[in-house]
Amino acid sequence: MTPIIELSHVTYSYPNSDTPALKDLSLTINQGEWVAIIGHNGSGKSTLAKLLNYLLAPTAGDITIAGTPVTEENMWAIRDMVGMVFQNPDNQFVGATVADDVAFGLENRGIAREEMITRVQAALTEVQMAAFADREPARLSGGQKQRVAIASVLAIQPKILILDEATAMLDPKGRREMIALVHELKTRMGDELTVLSITHDIEEAASADRVVVINDGDLIETGAPAQVFANADKLREFGLAVPFAEQLKEKLRERGIDVPASYLTTEGMVDWLWQSISTK
Amino acid sequence: MFTNMIIGRYMPGNSWIHRLDARTKLILSVAFIFVVFFANNVAGYVVAIAFTLLSILLTGLGVGVFIRGVRPLMFLMFITTLLQLFFVQTGDVLWHWAFLTITTDGVTNSIAVFVRFMLIIMFSTILTLTTQPLAVADAMESLLQPLKKVGFPVAELALMLSIALRFVPTLMDEAESIMNAQRARGVEFNEGNIISRIKAFVPLLIPLFINAIKRAIELGDAMEARGYRGGDNRTKYRVLTWQKQDTIAVIGFIVFTVLLIATKWL
Ligand SMILES: Nc1ncnc2c1ncn2[C@@H]1O[C@H](COP(=O)(O)OP(=O)(O)OP(=O)(O)O)[C@@H](O)[C@H]1O
Ligand SMILES: [Mg+2]
């Protein structure tokens, strides 16, 4: 496994505040991993994301992306490797039409027009938005705009995709479709794409390879979803939601029913319930 | 309420005029403003009106749309015409009362000004009705290229303009929802005298303004994250292409100009 994102002892304080938003944070993410970052509002998740492509520069500590130090000299090379999708679908739509928006990142990199046309087309096909190439953002749904945002990132062919609550403003259907899309991309691109997904949606986080919990600028825990979510009390302590299956297990336990100690997804829980009913 | 405030908003279509290059339409619309002054007799105005009508017909949008486009400016036209009527003192006196005098020259002049005004507005409306605002921005960028040599930030200005245009509907939607939210709190937007109406807009403008700044900050981050760094190394996805019909349109306009000048000797 090759590390692709390495943070060592990173601290960041906003210029106008005296408490650091991130404190002495160290974290390594391997190539091809899908990592979910969770933490309550204001815990420093977006700050972490912005440090990774030099939208913010760390107050102390070092960050490297694929072996390249994240510094002012390297910022453009870093931004070629790290694509970001933000929360608000409207505030990241730069182009006047879907195709123009996807082309924006390519224009910035001085890519020849013929190449742009093929890349825009390919990226839009990948997110199933090719039919909307000439649409203005005003005539798209939030979910469609976010897919365009993903296409804009894909057109750059980055190594890392960071989603900063990219599904937070979508309706449940849009959210499900978006998560499915990222899963699809991940399956197709395998280790070529590393996904860092910041989210409040616990079910979304549960589908990641690894979960990182941040609380008030501190990295609290990192581990497989099963491991992190199995501890409901700890999640509550950090102001986080508890996955539905864990809530159900707690309730069953209260009624004196023996439930498995290990973490189960909602589907896993359904299977377990069927089994325990049929073996009774 | 915001949608009907926009004069001459783009109306999609696929007419001959729609398909013209935005640069052609922009140049010809500006040129028309000057050329129309060559008309100084009835024959001249007939030629100018005929040319404008022909252009309007070629847009396939119907004359009604254009008349509606002129309506918001009627007041201005009326005032200008009246000023002409009373200020021109040459020619035979037709009517006189206290300090007000109407002369024959005054009457002809005010008719001339009215027609000219009308034609210019209609002709400019052809540009705005048949061309996407973005294409107009592109055309301006393309036509302003020479100014780059003297250090004028043409590309930056064009991007600014295109982003501004892109955010018009977003901000309108937002204004609409803020207004609804304020109405729910009892703010009346269309009642009372002018002062209280203006006052009612304060609780609309402040949140709108604050949100716009927030949007701008986020948009700035998103643009940087996507590699925007200004400067001249950017390529362009959207290109304008000069076609045969653009040459035909320019030739048509030159013929019109020559005809118009020729009417002088009629
Ligand atoms: N521009 C800024 N200036 C000063 N302080 C800031 C700024 N942006 C964020 N902060 C502060 O830094 C801390 C971390 O903010 P951050 O946006 O990283 O949180 P977050 O985990 O992304 O929260 P959310 O879940 O609400 O998006 C918060 O206490 C916040 O108030
Ligand atoms: Mg955030």
Side-chain angles (χ1 to χ4, degrees):
Chain A
M1 281 200 284
T2 30
I4 191 156
I5 302 173
E6 291 167 284
L7 293 107
S8 90
H9 305 289
V10 173
T11 297
Y12 182 81
S13 305
Y14 280 97
N16 49 356
S17 108
D18 22 84
T19 49
L22 284 180
K23 299 168 213 156
D24 195 34
L25 191 134
S26 297
L27 174 69
T28 302
I29 292 170
N30 292 313
Q31 186 170 343
E33 252 193 309
W34 177 322
V35 176
I37 298 182
I38 59 173
H40 65 75
N41 289 112
S43 53
K45 305 179 299 292
S46 298
T47 308
L48 174 62
K50 285 179 185 165
L51 284 166
L52 295 180
N53 68 354
Y54 207 75
L55 285 176
L56 297 174
T59 317
D62 297 300
I63 305 172
T64 60
I65 302 283
T68 312
V70 181
T71 56
E72 191 166 353
E73 307 89 78
N74 297 334
M75 65 193 272
W76 303 111
I78 295 293
R79 286 173 190 174
D80 286 348
M81 292 191 279
V82 183
M84 268 175 96
V85 178
F86 298 89
Q87 178 174 1
N88 191 316
D90 266 314
N91 299 354
Q92 55 188 319
F93 205 112
V94 186
T97 67
V98 167
D100 282 295
D101 191 58
V102 177
F104 180 72
L106 302 170
E107 291 179 322
N108 292 337
R109 288 165 174 86
I111 287 164
R113 186 158 181 272
E114 296 73 52
E115 164 104 20
M116 268 202 264
I117 293 168
T118 38
R119 282 221 220 166
V120 167
Q121 187 61 36
L124 284 177
T125 310
E126 215 138 28
V127 301
Q128 289 119 44
M129 286 294 289
F132 297 85
D134 295 323
R135 282 271 185 115
E136 300 92 49
R139 295 195 295 140
L140 295 176
S141 73
Q144 289 172 328
K145 281 181 221 172
Q146 289 303 67
R147 282 147 75 131
V148 174
I150 290 187
S152 306
V153 168
L154 292 179
I156 306 305
Q157 301 163 348
K159 294 181 193 299
I160 302 165
L161 170 64
I162 300 179
L163 305 162
D164 187 354
E165 297 190 38
T167 59
M169 287 176 75
L170 307 183
D171 56 20
K173 181 166 163 282
R175 188 173 303 174
R176 270 197 307 278
E177 285 174 355
M178 179 103 165
I179 296 168
L181 171 66
V182 179
H183 271 287
E184 232 171 76
L185 291 174
K186 191 70 187 76
T187 316
R188 204 171 44 69
M189 293 164 93
D191 280 355
E192 295 300 303
L193 187 70
T194 305
V195 177
L196 197 63
S197 141
I198 296 170
T199 180
H200 281 292
D201 182 352
I202 226 76
E203 307 292 336
E204 184 186 334
S207 68
D209 299 329
R210 190 146 65 103
V211 177
V212 172
V213 184
I214 293 183
N215 185 55
D216 295 337
D218 291 311
L219 195 152
I220 296 296
E221 198 181 355
T222 157
Q227 189 189 328
V228 174
F229 292 135
N231 197 338
D233 291 336
K234 203 167 174 190
L235 290 176
R236 287 207 186 89
E237 184 191 332
F238 296 120
L240 295 167
V242 176
F244 173 70
E246 287 301 320
Q247 292 180 28
L248 183 59
K249 268 183 359 190
E250 270 187 336
K251 291 276 186 297
L252 290 173
R253 222 178 273 131
E254 278 167 22
R255 290 173 174 240
I257 298 168
D258 235 5
V259 286
S262 64
Y263 170 79
L264 290 175
T265 58
T266 308
E267 291 79 41
M269 194 67 198
V270 171
D271 288 344
W272 179 81
L273 282 172
W274 278 118
Q275 271 163 23
S276 38
I277 291 168
S278 51
T279 51
K280 237 176 213 158
Chain B
M1 74 165 275
F2 288 107
T3 37
N4 47 24
M5 259 164 46
I6 306 162
I7 306 162
R9 216 168 40 141
Y10 172 66
M11 298 184 75
N14 195 30
S15 71
W16 195 79
I17 301 265
H18 276 89
R19 282 180 277 121
L20 280 180
D21 190 304
R23 286 170 298 184
T24 311
K25 287 187 265 187
L26 189 60
I27 295 174
L28 296 188
S29 304
V30 174
F32 185 82
I33 297 172
F34 297 99
V35 169
V36 101
F37 281 92
F38 285 122
N40 59 0
N41 56 24
V42 175
Y45 282 107
V46 168
V47 171
I49 291 170
F51 184 73
T52 308
L53 275 179
L54 176 72
S55 308
I56 287 176
L57 288 179
L58 281 176
T59 66
L61 291 173
V63 186
V65 181
F66 289 84
I67 306 266
R68 252 175 281 141
V70 177
R71 215 180 280 157
L73 294 165
M74 269 303 183
F75 183 68
L76 198 65
M77 284 167 64
F78 191 63
I79 297 284
T80 325
T81 311
L82 271 187
L83 286 178
Q84 286 291 328
L85 194 59
F86 289 113
F87 278 126
V88 177
Q89 301 289 335
T90 52
D92 305 329
V93 175
L94 292 175
W95 181 79
H96 181 86
W97 180 79
F99 58 94
L100 294 174
T101 317
I102 296 181
T103 64
T104 44
D105 284 3
V107 171
T108 40
N109 261 331
S110 56
I111 292 173
V113 164
F114 180 82
V115 174
R116 217 179 275 155
F117 213 137
M118 191 87 171
L119 289 179
I120 289 173
I121 292 168
M122 290 220 170
F123 210 81
S124 317
T125 314
I126 295 177
L127 171 74
T128 55
L129 282 177
T130 64
T131 324
Q132 289 193 0
L134 186 73
V136 181
D138 284 339
M140 280 184 189
E141 178 179 11
S142 164
L143 294 171
L144 291 176
Q145 281 311 315
L147 286 180
K148 256 191 182 158
K149 289 211 185 69
V150 294
F152 192 76
V154 178
E156 279 76 9
L157 218 67
L159 184 66
M160 246 169 71
L161 189 58
S162 101
I163 289 176
L165 291 169
R166 130 88 189 92
F167 271 92
V168 168
T170 309
L171 292 179
M172 289 214 178
D173 279 353
E174 182 157 26
E176 199 80 66
S177 57
I178 294 172
M179 274 174 92
N180 288 337
Q182 303 290 28
R183 274 199 197 103
R185 290 174 177 77
V187 178
E188 310 265 14
F189 284 99
N190 288 321
E191 261 159 53
N193 57 24
I194 194 100
I195 305 279
S196 56
R197 276 189 199 204
I198 291 172
K199 267 194 188 151
F201 274 89
V202 174
L204 166 67
L205 289 179
I206 289 174
L208 195 61
F209 200 69
I210 290 171
N211 281 349
I213 289 173
K214 225 160 72 188
R215 279 182 196 283
I217 292 170
E218 284 185 24
L219 186 71
D221 272 346
M223 285 170 68
E224 275 204 48
R226 286 161 68 180
Y228 181 72
R229 47 171 142 171
D232 292 334
N233 296 325
R234 300 185 81 236
T235 42
K236 282 201 68 91
Y237 177 70
R238 197 177 264 284
V239 289
L240 298 165
T241 41
W242 190 271
Q243 288 160 311
K244 206 169 87 192
Q245 61 193 40
D246 293 298
T247 314
I248 295 173
V250 171
I251 292 172
F253 191 83
I254 292 172
V255 170
F256 157 67
T257 309
V258 171
L259 268 178
L260 198 56
I261 295 172
T263 57
K264 228 184 207 167
W265 292 284
L266 278 184

